[in-house]
Amino acid sequence: MRPSAVRLLNILVPVKRAVDFAVKIRVNPEQTGIDLNVKHSMNPFDEIGSRLGHQLSQILPAVEEAVRLRERLKDAVKSIKVVTIGPPKAVETLRTALAMGADSAIHVEIPEGAPSPEPLAVAKTLRELVTRQEEGVDLVIMGKQAIDDDAGQTGQMLAGLMDWAQATFASKVDVDALAKVANVTREIDGGLEQLKCQLPAVVTTDLRLNEPRYASLPNIMKAKKKPIEKLTPADLGVDLAPRLQTLKVTEPPKRIGGGKVANVDELLAKLKEAGITPKRA
């Protein structure tokens, strides 16, 4: 009797289009959020920016780690699929990931100018996408947070909704494809923690997980021919309407220039003028 064939691994990598990390953030005139009429690129925890043309594209943890897993596990990884939720321009983010080695992509398109989906809505959207994959999903690798909202919640919420194992803030990932186990080293306060997760699982990546590589110009050109499936929230039966209301966004007060004092007595006098008085024990 022949042994049954081992099912190959399918990896899903969610990525996000965010304001470029090098852009100086400014509050919009309405004070409802930040000015979005600036350069955007892939979230650094998913990818560190896109430089097309005759230049190269440098990526960081999530997409990079998925490609590295394929390089280590060879034919055990059947597919790497990237997904994003965003306006039409977000397709550029997907093309960058495809140039790095992903096989295909899904674009859940929302209107230009629509509010950015909140973590729970993103997690529910990802859950629907995972359950609709005919060949299944064994591993979801995503950045631990996005630099626009710094929420750091989506991965944990997705694992909870799917009832999957989770390993957050990963700095090292090893997968045993035969045993369907992921061994993850994660960063915690004061050291490292090692987890053993049974697949399927959700892993969120830290910036120290890997060193970036460069996408060659030929791969950038090939990425333009790789398939991107377009969906809408309605296709997936999810509601991306915000649950939270932002009342007001303001810039922090400008710092007042300091001054020099000649001695301790002058320093104490200045502190007293400012209303700062010592407290008795």
Side-chain angles (χ1 to χ4, degrees):
M1 182 176 178
R2 291 184 178 181
S4 59
V6 177
R7 189 169 73 81
L8 303 180
L9 297 178
N10 295 301
I11 301 175
L12 184 70
V13 185
V15 296
K16 184 176 184 180
R17 178 177 181 266
V19 173
D20 189 86
F21 70 95
V23 170
K24 180 177 174 60
I25 299 297
R26 292 183 174 86
V27 176
N28 62 27
E30 297 80 17
Q31 294 188 319
T32 57
I34 62 171
D35 182 9
L36 297 176
N37 295 316
V38 294
K39 179 184 176 183
H40 284 62
S41 61
M42 193 182 295
N43 173 48
F45 289 94
D46 306 320
E47 192 262 0
I48 198 62
S50 174
R51 292 169 287 176
L52 301 178
H54 292 286
Q55 299 182 37
L56 302 172
S57 180
Q58 187 182 28
I59 80 165
L60 279 179
V63 179
E64 169 73 8
E65 191 62 22
V67 175
R68 289 192 179 202
L69 283 174
R70 167 175 277 168
E71 292 171 347
R72 293 198 297 267
L73 301 176
K74 307 297 182 182
D75 295 336
V77 175
K78 183 175 184 180
S79 72
I80 299 173
K81 184 174 289 187
V82 291
V83 57
T84 195
I85 306 170
K89 290 181 180 179
V91 72
E92 300 169 4
T93 302
L94 294 175
R95 292 293 182 197
T96 299
L98 292 171
M100 295 311 305
D103 304 306
S104 60
I106 301 174
H107 183 190
V108 181
E109 189 171 321
I110 59 177
E112 190 72 45
S116 180
E118 295 170 358
L120 181 58
V122 174
K124 289 182 176 180
T125 302
L126 295 175
R127 176 185 62 180
E128 293 302 315
L129 289 172
V130 168
T131 56
R132 290 168 184 244
Q133 301 306 303
E134 293 182 359
E135 297 183 342
V137 173
D138 302 283
L139 183 61
V140 177
I141 307 177
M142 59 197 304
K144 70 174 184 178
Q145 67 193 79
I147 61 170
D148 49 7
D149 57 19
D150 278 331
Q153 300 170 345
T154 305
Q156 294 90 322
M157 289 179 171
L158 175 61
L161 291 172
M162 297 297 298
D163 196 23
W164 284 6
Q166 62 173 295
T168 56
F169 315 141
S171 59
K172 183 179 180 181
V173 179
D174 289 313
V175 174
D176 185 334
L178 190 60
K180 290 296 179 69
V181 168
N183 295 293
V184 180
T185 301
R186 61 188 301 265
E187 298 190 353
I188 60 175
D189 291 340
L192 300 173
E193 180 181 48
Q194 293 183 333
L195 298 179
K196 183 177 181 179
C197 305
Q198 192 71 39
L199 300 183
V202 178
V203 174
T204 70
T205 62
D206 209 335
L207 289 175
R208 284 164 289 280
L209 175 61
N210 49 50
E211 292 292 329
R213 69 176 63 195
Y214 291 93
S216 65
L217 183 58
N219 285 340
I220 293 173
M221 301 306 293
K222 289 178 183 178
K224 296 180 180 181
K225 298 181 180 180
K226 292 184 178 180
I228 297 180
E229 180 184 4
K230 286 191 176 290
L231 298 171
T232 66
D235 294 332
L236 300 172
V238 294
D239 181 12
L240 299 184
R243 292 170 174 248
L244 304 176
Q245 180 185 1
T246 301
L247 300 180
K248 189 177 183 181
V249 177
T250 59
E251 294 186 6
K254 293 183 179 180
R255 295 182 61 182
I256 301 175
K260 294 183 179 180
V261 294
N263 50 53
V264 175
D265 292 335
E266 189 176 345
L267 173 61
L268 294 175
K270 291 285 186 181
L271 292 175
K272 189 173 181 180
E273 289 176 10
I276 301 174
T277 56
K279 290 185 177 180
R280 295 183 179 180

